[in-house]
Structures are given as C-alpha cells and as structure tokens.
Amino acid sequence: MKICLISFDFWHYDEHIVEKLSDKGIQACHINIGAFTHKNTGERLKNTFSKIFLGKNPKYHKRQSFILESLEKIGKQDQILVINPEAIDESIHKKIREYADRNIAYLYDSMARNPATHLLHYFDTIFSFDDNDVKNFGFEKITNYNYLDHIPAEKQHPKLDLFYITSYDQKRLSALNLLINRVCAMKIKFEVYMVGKKGWKNKLNQIVDQKNIEILKFGRKKIPHHALPDYYKNTKVILDLMRADQTGLSFRIFEAMALEKKIITDNPTIKTYDFYNPRNILVLDKNFRNIKKDFFHTPYEKLPKEVYDKYTLDHWVNTVFKLNS
C-alpha cells in the first residue's frame, strides 16, 4: 500500500504518522510544505522585498508548486492525507485528488480559526478534533494522538510543580497572567517558556503584570520537538490553555498521558472523554479559584490499558487509514 501525507509540519508532530506507517510495512512518504526553503540568501531577500513592496509572497507559490512536483515523483497513491488543507490552493487540491484513490483531510485547527468550506468536496473522509465542527459539518471525530513511549511516573523525578510552553497569543497570555496570580501565593514551582519574535516581548507589558513577566523564559526559537519530553518529565503538572474559537484537545493532553503527568486546563470539553479523572485533570473555573495546592502533591492515577491504547498513534493510524478493515 502507498500512502502520502501532505502537511505544513511546523512542530514535527506529523512526521510520527509517516514513521508509524513505515513500521507497519506501508510505503509512506511525507510532502512537508514547511520544509521547503529558499535556495540561497538572494532568493530570501527577493521574497522579503516582494512581500513588503509588492504584497506578494513568492515562497507561498513555490510551496504550492513543490507539492505538485513531489506528487509527480511519487506517482499515484492508495491514500493521501492532507492535514489542515486550507494552507493549500484549491487548484492544487484538484491535482492532489487525481493522485489519490482515497483522499482524506484532518483538521486540527477549527473551522472558525481556519475556514475550509470551499475545499471539503475534494475529500472522501474528513476528520476533525473539534467537537463543534463535528456537530456542525458532519465530520468524523478523532482526537490528536499520543506519539510518545510510555514512561511511568515512578521512573521520573520532577523538580517543577507546573510547566507551560506557549507561543504569543493574547487570549492565552491573559489567562496565564490570572493563573500566575493565583498560584504564586501557593509557593508553586512554576516555569513558563514562551516562544516568539523579539517584538512580541514588548507587547507582554500590555497583557501580563510586570511582576509575572519575571517567571517567563523567552526564546526566539522553539524548543526542538525531540526535547519536549525532557521538559515535561521535569514537572508534576502540565498547563494547557485554549486558543480562541477552538474546543479540540491539544497535543499536550496526550503527551501528558504518555508521561503520566497531571493536567490543568481551561478546556471544559475534556470532561466528556473517557480518560477524564478529576484527580489527574483540573478543569479551571471562570476565575481560576478552584486551584488547590493538594492537586500538585497527590499522585497520578494510572489509566486502564484499554483507555490508554485508544489514544495512541498506532490506533490513530489504523482508524484514519482503515488498516484493520
């Protein structure tokens, strides 16, 4: 069987899908739009000039051509999975459709954030992690997946009570500021790593109290994907804050599952899942007043194996590509 994945894999989550398919003996390839780069400094400067002065982005169009060139090399596929198809021109989707016996989409951004209504007819099956989109558009529900190896809590020795990594987002930073104010009085060992451009750092003063900015570690470059588990292993609890217009569960939930970490989240939909356990997962109330110090010091309660297995990448791949049917 030949399966192709097309995505803009900025955070390197999607590459795990291809690895898992290959482990199953499937001829799998990945057209990673995000991996396309300028050939040299001259091209990069031309692209910058065009964006600023002409309002055009040559790199965007070259990425679209990159998809077609890659498909021409690999030929017809039994299945093609496109993750977040709104990043690709409709003209390119028409061509992708010609290369796929079964064309699949997975949306792990909500339709409210990234509308894709004009593209839906190109796909045989559309999966979404967002409950509202599943209800409103009739998509098939699937969550993100647990791609990490399981590491029991007793084999870890965390030094932090709470850890959060985030990019610049006004809604989440406002929530984070409120949360810091709540937990500081508890003497909770709390660390935040914020990824973003230097210019964003100046905006923090408008959102985050000055005294709270001190606990933010600011990095221009994102933490390498392979290094994330080490950060998470060093904490008892992982913080998860929602983006606006999104109800689906982030990858943090499943990374926490693999590493047996507790979760504090402002996403109330997590209560509807079979892995929800109030001893492991604290759902914040409106003013975040339900945070108690005891939550950080009681042990993680292990999940039943049959529940844990439902959220593994192996199960995800079998479901999306119908490998067990």
Side-chain angles (χ1 to χ4, degrees):
M1 181 182 290
K2 297 172 69 176
I3 295 178
C4 177
L5 168 62
I6 303 175
S7 70
F8 193 105
D9 195 12
F10 182 77
W11 290 102
H12 299 283
Y13 286 112
D14 307 342
E15 63 189 37
H16 296 291
I17 299 172
V18 180
E19 292 171 2
K20 178 60 67 175
L21 289 169
S22 297
D23 290 344
K24 292 177 175 288
I26 291 168
Q27 187 176 335
C29 65
H30 186 191
I31 300 176
N32 183 0
I33 312 168
F36 178 84
T37 58
H38 294 295
K39 293 180 180 179
N40 51 53
T41 303
E43 278 200 2
R44 189 176 296 109
L45 290 173
K46 286 180 182 178
N47 193 80
T48 301
F49 178 88
S50 180
K51 284 198 295 184
I52 294 174
F53 297 103
L54 303 178
K56 298 179 180 179
N57 187 350
K59 188 175 182 179
Y60 172 82
H61 296 291
K62 289 180 179 180
R63 281 174 168 163
Q64 307 299 310
S65 298
F66 172 67
I67 296 172
L68 295 184
E69 291 166 3
S70 300
L71 285 172
E72 288 174 3
K73 290 179 181 178
I74 64 175
K76 190 72 176 288
Q77 302 290 297
D78 295 296
Q79 301 186 60
I80 292 178
L81 170 64
V82 181
I83 295 181
N84 282 20
E86 76 286 342
I88 301 172
D89 280 345
E90 184 170 3
S91 62
I92 305 300
H93 279 290
K94 291 179 182 178
K95 294 291 185 181
I96 294 172
R97 174 74 264 190
E98 295 173 5
Y99 281 88
D101 287 337
R102 179 175 180 244
N103 202 28
I104 315 161
Y106 175 47
L107 313 180
Y108 61 49
D109 267 323
S110 66
M111 293 283 280
R113 283 178 48 81
N114 291 308
T117 309
H118 62 297
L119 302 173
L120 302 182
H121 62 283
Y122 289 105
F123 299 99
D124 301 299
T125 309
I126 300 171
F127 292 95
S128 172
F129 81 151
D130 192 277
D131 286 331
N132 288 340
D133 286 351
V134 169
K135 179 181 178 180
N136 294 332
F137 295 95
F139 300 151
E140 293 197 25
K141 174 66 183 291
I142 198 167
T143 65
N144 284 322
Y145 46 81
N146 170 10
Y147 62 92
L148 293 173
D149 292 330
H150 178 234
I151 303 179
E154 55 268 23
K155 292 187 177 182
Q156 304 172 55
H157 305 284
K159 296 179 181 178
L160 294 173
D161 294 310
L162 183 63
F163 177 76
Y164 183 50
I165 179 172
T166 183
S167 56
Y168 180 87
D169 180 277
Q170 187 169 340
K171 176 183 179 294
R172 288 188 292 191
L173 286 175
S174 297
L176 176 63
N177 187 57
L178 176 58
L179 185 74
I180 295 172
N181 289 335
R182 293 280 182 257
V183 301
C184 277
M186 301 179 190
K187 297 182 179 180
I188 296 298
K189 294 179 181 178
F190 185 18
E191 188 173 288
V192 178
Y193 191 93
M194 182 178 166
V195 182
K197 300 175 182 177
K198 288 183 178 179
W200 292 349
K201 194 172 184 179
N202 298 326
K203 296 181 180 180
L204 292 179
N205 292 320
Q206 303 173 27
I207 305 172
V208 180
D209 296 342
Q210 188 61 45
K211 63 182 177 60
N212 294 339
I213 289 178
E214 296 177 2
I215 76 164
L216 301 180
K217 290 188 175 182
F218 196 88
R220 190 171 183 183
K221 294 183 179 180
K222 67 180 186 293
I223 294 175
H225 183 63
H226 62 82
L228 270 177
D230 290 331
Y231 282 84
Y232 289 150
K233 282 187 286 187
N234 192 41
T235 187
K236 296 176 183 176
V237 184
I238 297 172
L239 178 62
D240 175 72
L241 298 175
M242 289 194 302
R243 283 184 169 184
D245 299 316
Q246 190 163 292
T247 62
L249 301 181
S250 74
F251 273 103
R252 290 185 189 89
I253 304 302
F254 306 99
E255 290 160 340
M257 190 181 293
L259 301 175
E260 295 191 348
K261 300 297 178 181
K262 291 188 172 187
I263 284 284
I264 292 178
T265 181
D266 60 349
N267 189 342
T269 67
I270 200 169
K271 290 184 176 182
T272 66
Y273 291 85
D274 53 0
F275 60 80
Y276 172 72
N277 180 340
R279 297 186 180 182
N280 291 340
I281 301 171
L282 173 63
V283 180
L284 295 164
D285 61 17
K286 184 177 181 180
N287 296 310
F288 298 1
R289 295 186 183 278
N290 60 333
I291 301 176
K292 307 296 181 185
K293 194 169 184 177
D294 288 350
F295 183 78
F296 297 91
H297 300 302
T298 53
Y300 178 92
E301 291 194 359
K302 295 181 183 294
L303 293 176
K305 185 178 184 301
E306 61 273 17
V307 174
Y308 181 92
D309 288 347
K310 280 176 58 178
Y311 300 96
T312 60
L313 177 56
D314 188 73
H315 185 268
W316 193 95
V317 164
N318 288 341
T319 301
V320 169
F321 297 107
K322 297 183 177 181
L323 298 184
N324 287 336
S325 57

PDB file of all heavy atoms in Angstrom, residues 261-278:
ATOM      1  N   LYS A 261       1.519  12.560  33.540  1.00  0.00           N
ATOM      2  CA  LYS A 261       1.521  13.876  34.161  1.00  0.00           C
ATOM      3  C   LYS A 261       0.093  14.366  34.356  1.00  0.00           C
ATOM      4  O   LYS A 261      -0.786  14.095  33.536  1.00  0.00           O
ATOM      5  CB  LYS A 261       2.273  14.881  33.271  1.00  0.00           C
ATOM      6  CG  LYS A 261       3.720  14.519  33.021  1.00  0.00           C
ATOM      7  CD  LYS A 261       4.531  14.505  34.304  1.00  0.00           C
ATOM      8  CE  LYS A 261       5.971  14.101  34.045  1.00  0.00           C
ATOM      9  NZ  LYS A 261       6.761  14.053  35.303  1.00  0.00           N
ATOM     10  N   LYS A 262      -0.108  15.102  35.414  1.00  0.00           N
ATOM     11  CA  LYS A 262      -1.394  15.735  35.628  1.00  0.00           C
ATOM     12  C   LYS A 262      -1.539  16.931  34.687  1.00  0.00           C
ATOM     13  O   LYS A 262      -0.545  17.443  34.160  1.00  0.00           O
ATOM     14  CB  LYS A 262      -1.535  16.180  37.080  1.00  0.00           C
ATOM     15  CG  LYS A 262      -1.655  15.020  38.078  1.00  0.00           C
ATOM     16  CD  LYS A 262      -1.977  15.563  39.455  1.00  0.00           C
ATOM     17  CE  LYS A 262      -2.284  14.434  40.427  1.00  0.00           C
ATOM     18  NZ  LYS A 262      -2.763  14.965  41.731  1.00  0.00           N
ATOM     19  N   ILE A 263      -2.780  17.361  34.497  1.00  0.00           N
ATOM     20  CA  ILE A 263      -3.081  18.466  33.585  1.00  0.00           C
ATOM     21  C   ILE A 263      -3.942  19.502  34.311  1.00  0.00           C
ATOM     22  O   ILE A 263      -4.885  19.153  35.027  1.00  0.00           O
ATOM     23  CB  ILE A 263      -3.855  17.962  32.345  1.00  0.00           C
ATOM     24  CG1 ILE A 263      -2.914  17.249  31.374  1.00  0.00           C
ATOM     25  CG2 ILE A 263      -4.569  19.098  31.642  1.00  0.00           C
ATOM     26  CD1 ILE A 263      -2.042  18.166  30.558  1.00  0.00           C
ATOM     27  N   ILE A 264      -3.601  20.772  34.112  1.00  0.00           N
ATOM     28  CA  ILE A 264      -4.504  21.877  34.460  1.00  0.00           C
ATOM     29  C   ILE A 264      -4.891  22.533  33.155  1.00  0.00           C
ATOM     30  O   ILE A 264      -4.025  22.922  32.362  1.00  0.00           O
ATOM     31  CB  ILE A 264      -3.828  22.891  35.397  1.00  0.00           C
ATOM     32  CG1 ILE A 264      -3.585  22.261  36.775  1.00  0.00           C
ATOM     33  CG2 ILE A 264      -4.699  24.142  35.542  1.00  0.00           C
ATOM     34  CD1 ILE A 264      -2.864  23.187  37.749  1.00  0.00           C
ATOM     35  N   THR A 265      -6.192  22.650  32.893  1.00  0.00           N
ATOM     36  CA  THR A 265      -6.650  23.165  31.603  1.00  0.00           C
ATOM     37  C   THR A 265      -7.893  24.033  31.769  1.00  0.00           C
ATOM     38  O   THR A 265      -8.645  23.884  32.749  1.00  0.00           O
ATOM     39  CB  THR A 265      -6.955  22.010  30.634  1.00  0.00           C
ATOM     40  OG1 THR A 265      -7.372  22.525  29.366  1.00  0.00           O
ATOM     41  CG2 THR A 265      -8.046  21.103  31.184  1.00  0.00           C
ATOM     42  N   ASP A 266      -8.099  24.925  30.800  1.00  0.00           N
ATOM     43  CA  ASP A 266      -9.333  25.716  30.775  1.00  0.00           C
ATOM     44  C   ASP A 266     -10.284  25.201  29.695  1.00  0.00           C
ATOM     45  O   ASP A 266     -11.221  25.897  29.311  1.00  0.00           O
ATOM     46  CB  ASP A 266      -9.031  27.202  30.557  1.00  0.00           C
ATOM     47  CG  ASP A 266      -8.315  27.481  29.247  1.00  0.00           C
ATOM     48  OD1 ASP A 266      -7.857  26.524  28.591  1.00  0.00           O
ATOM     49  OD2 ASP A 266      -8.198  28.672  28.864  1.00  0.00           O
ATOM     50  N   ASN A 267     -10.034  23.975  29.215  1.00  0.00           N
ATOM     51  CA  ASN A 267     -10.882  23.371  28.183  1.00  0.00           C
ATOM     52  C   ASN A 267     -11.920  22.454  28.835  1.00  0.00           C
ATOM     53  O   ASN A 267     -11.606  21.318  29.207  1.00  0.00           O
ATOM     54  CB  ASN A 267     -10.022  22.580  27.202  1.00  0.00           C
ATOM     55  CG  ASN A 267     -10.805  22.107  25.984  1.00  0.00           C
ATOM     56  OD1 ASN A 267     -12.032  22.080  26.010  1.00  0.00           O
ATOM     57  ND2 ASN A 267     -10.117  21.738  24.930  1.00  0.00           N
ATOM     58  N   PRO A 268     -13.167  22.899  28.978  1.00  0.00           N
ATOM     59  CA  PRO A 268     -14.175  22.101  29.686  1.00  0.00           C
ATOM     60  C   PRO A 268     -14.590  20.834  28.940  1.00  0.00           C
ATOM     61  O   PRO A 268     -15.128  19.907  29.553  1.00  0.00           O
ATOM     62  CB  PRO A 268     -15.361  23.062  29.824  1.00  0.00           C
ATOM     63  CG  PRO A 268     -15.207  24.019  28.687  1.00  0.00           C
ATOM     64  CD  PRO A 268     -13.730  24.186  28.506  1.00  0.00           C
ATOM     65  N   THR A 269     -14.333  20.756  27.630  1.00  0.00           N
ATOM     66  CA  THR A 269     -14.748  19.572  26.872  1.00  0.00           C
ATOM     67  C   THR A 269     -13.978  18.327  27.294  1.00  0.00           C
ATOM     68  O   THR A 269     -14.424  17.206  27.020  1.00  0.00           O
ATOM     69  CB  THR A 269     -14.560  19.773  25.357  1.00  0.00           C
ATOM     70  OG1 THR A 269     -13.161  19.867  25.038  1.00  0.00           O
ATOM     71  CG2 THR A 269     -15.264  21.027  24.886  1.00  0.00           C
ATOM     72  N   ILE A 270     -12.874  18.503  27.985  1.00  0.00           N
ATOM     73  CA  ILE A 270     -12.075  17.346  28.394  1.00  0.00           C
ATOM     74  C   ILE A 270     -12.857  16.442  29.350  1.00  0.00           C
ATOM     75  O   ILE A 270     -12.593  15.238  29.453  1.00  0.00           O
ATOM     76  CB  ILE A 270     -10.741  17.807  29.030  1.00  0.00           C
ATOM     77  CG1 ILE A 270      -9.704  16.669  28.994  1.00  0.00           C
ATOM     78  CG2 ILE A 270     -10.941  18.315  30.446  1.00  0.00           C
ATOM     79  CD1 ILE A 270      -8.295  17.109  29.344  1.00  0.00           C
ATOM     80  N   LYS A 271     -13.852  17.011  30.006  1.00  0.00           N
ATOM     81  CA  LYS A 271     -14.664  16.221  30.936  1.00  0.00           C
ATOM     82  C   LYS A 271     -15.510  15.173  30.221  1.00  0.00           C
ATOM     83  O   LYS A 271     -16.010  14.245  30.865  1.00  0.00           O
ATOM     84  CB  LYS A 271     -15.585  17.140  31.747  1.00  0.00           C
ATOM     85  CG  LYS A 271     -14.860  18.007  32.758  1.00  0.00           C
ATOM     86  CD  LYS A 271     -15.858  18.810  33.596  1.00  0.00           C
ATOM     87  CE  LYS A 271     -15.175  19.612  34.672  1.00  0.00           C
ATOM     88  NZ  LYS A 271     -16.134  20.353  35.521  1.00  0.00           N
ATOM     89  N   THR A 272     -15.684  15.287  28.915  1.00  0.00           N
ATOM     90  CA  THR A 272     -16.521  14.353  28.167  1.00  0.00           C
ATOM     91  C   THR A 272     -15.752  13.117  27.702  1.00  0.00           C
ATOM     92  O   THR A 272     -16.355  12.200  27.148  1.00  0.00           O
ATOM     93  CB  THR A 272     -17.131  15.040  26.928  1.00  0.00           C
ATOM     94  OG1 THR A 272     -16.085  15.395  26.006  1.00  0.00           O
ATOM     95  CG2 THR A 272     -17.895  16.286  27.319  1.00  0.00           C
ATOM     96  N   TYR A 273     -14.449  13.079  27.926  1.00  0.00           N
ATOM     97  CA  TYR A 273     -13.633  11.965  27.445  1.00  0.00           C
ATOM     98  C   TYR A 273     -13.486  10.883  28.515  1.00  0.00           C
ATOM     99  O   TYR A 273     -13.516  11.171  29.727  1.00  0.00           O
ATOM    100  CB  TYR A 273     -12.248  12.466  27.023  1.00  0.00           C
ATOM    101  CG  TYR A 273     -12.283  13.323  25.781  1.00  0.00           C
ATOM    102  CD1 TYR A 273     -12.551  14.690  25.858  1.00  0.00           C
ATOM    103  CD2 TYR A 273     -12.069  12.769  24.523  1.00  0.00           C
ATOM    104  CE1 TYR A 273     -12.601  15.478  24.719  1.00  0.00           C
ATOM    105  CE2 TYR A 273     -12.116  13.547  23.381  1.00  0.00           C
ATOM    106  CZ  TYR A 273     -12.384  14.903  23.483  1.00  0.00           C
ATOM    107  OH  TYR A 273     -12.437  15.675  22.354  1.00  0.00           O
ATOM    108  N   ASP A 274     -13.312   9.649  28.052  1.00  0.00           N
ATOM    109  CA  ASP A 274     -13.271   8.520  28.993  1.00  0.00           C
ATOM    110  C   ASP A 274     -12.013   8.486  29.839  1.00  0.00           C
ATOM    111  O   ASP A 274     -11.959   7.756  30.835  1.00  0.00           O
ATOM    112  CB  ASP A 274     -13.450   7.185  28.249  1.00  0.00           C
ATOM    113  CG  ASP A 274     -12.474   6.997  27.102  1.00  0.00           C
ATOM    114  OD1 ASP A 274     -11.640   7.889  26.867  1.00  0.00           O
ATOM    115  OD2 ASP A 274     -12.546   5.948  26.421  1.00  0.00           O
ATOM    116  N   PHE A 275     -10.968   9.236  29.483  1.00  0.00           N
ATOM    117  CA  PHE A 275      -9.753   9.264  30.298  1.00  0.00           C
ATOM    118  C   PHE A 275      -9.818  10.341  31.385  1.00  0.00           C
ATOM    119  O   PHE A 275      -8.907  10.462  32.201  1.00  0.00           O
ATOM    120  CB  PHE A 275      -8.509   9.477  29.438  1.00  0.00           C
ATOM    121  CG  PHE A 275      -8.498  10.765  28.650  1.00  0.00           C
ATOM    122  CD1 PHE A 275      -8.153  11.962  29.259  1.00  0.00           C
ATOM    123  CD2 PHE A 275      -8.850  10.774  27.311  1.00  0.00           C
ATOM    124  CE1 PHE A 275      -8.145  13.154  28.547  1.00  0.00           C
ATOM    125  CE2 PHE A 275      -8.838  11.964  26.585  1.00  0.00           C
ATOM    126  CZ  PHE A 275      -8.486  13.155  27.213  1.00  0.00           C
ATOM    127  N   TYR A 276     -10.900  11.129  31.393  1.00  0.00           N
ATOM    128  CA  TYR A 276     -11.001  12.208  32.380  1.00  0.00           C
ATOM    129  C   TYR A 276     -11.099  11.639  33.785  1.00  0.00           C
ATOM    130  O   TYR A 276     -11.920  10.775  34.091  1.00  0.00           O
ATOM    131  CB  TYR A 276     -12.217  13.090  32.096  1.00  0.00           C
ATOM    132  CG  TYR A 276     -12.466  14.106  33.192  1.00  0.00           C
ATOM    133  CD1 TYR A 276     -11.613  15.197  33.357  1.00  0.00           C
ATOM    134  CD2 TYR A 276     -13.535  13.949  34.084  1.00  0.00           C
ATOM    135  CE1 TYR A 276     -11.824  16.114  34.377  1.00  0.00           C
ATOM    136  CE2 TYR A 276     -13.752  14.861  35.098  1.00  0.00           C
ATOM    137  CZ  TYR A 276     -12.888  15.943  35.235  1.00  0.00           C
ATOM    138  OH  TYR A 276     -13.099  16.843  36.265  1.00  0.00           O
ATOM    139  N   ASN A 277     -10.248  12.141  34.649  1.00  0.00           N
ATOM    140  CA  ASN A 277     -10.221  11.770  36.061  1.00  0.00           C
ATOM    141  C   ASN A 277      -9.895  13.045  36.828  1.00  0.00           C
ATOM    142  O   ASN A 277      -8.820  13.622  36.655  1.00  0.00           O
ATOM    143  CB  ASN A 277      -9.150  10.701  36.311  1.00  0.00           C
ATOM    144  CG  ASN A 277      -9.062  10.273  37.774  1.00  0.00           C
ATOM    145  OD1 ASN A 277      -9.511  10.984  38.673  1.00  0.00           O
ATOM    146  ND2 ASN A 277      -8.453   9.120  38.016  1.00  0.00           N
ATOM    147  N   PRO A 278     -10.805  13.541  37.665  1.00  0.00           N
ATOM    148  CA  PRO A 278     -10.565  14.809  38.370  1.00  0.00           C
ATOM    149  C   PRO A 278      -9.339  14.788  39.274  1.00  0.00           C
ATOM    150  O   PRO A 278      -8.835  15.856  39.651  1.00  0.00           O
ATOM    151  CB  PRO A 278     -11.854  15.017  39.178  1.00  0.00           C
ATOM    152  CG  PRO A 278     -12.490  13.672  39.255  1.00  0.00           C
ATOM    153  CD  PRO A 278     -12.103  12.951  38.011  1.00  0.00           C
TER     154      PRO A 278
END
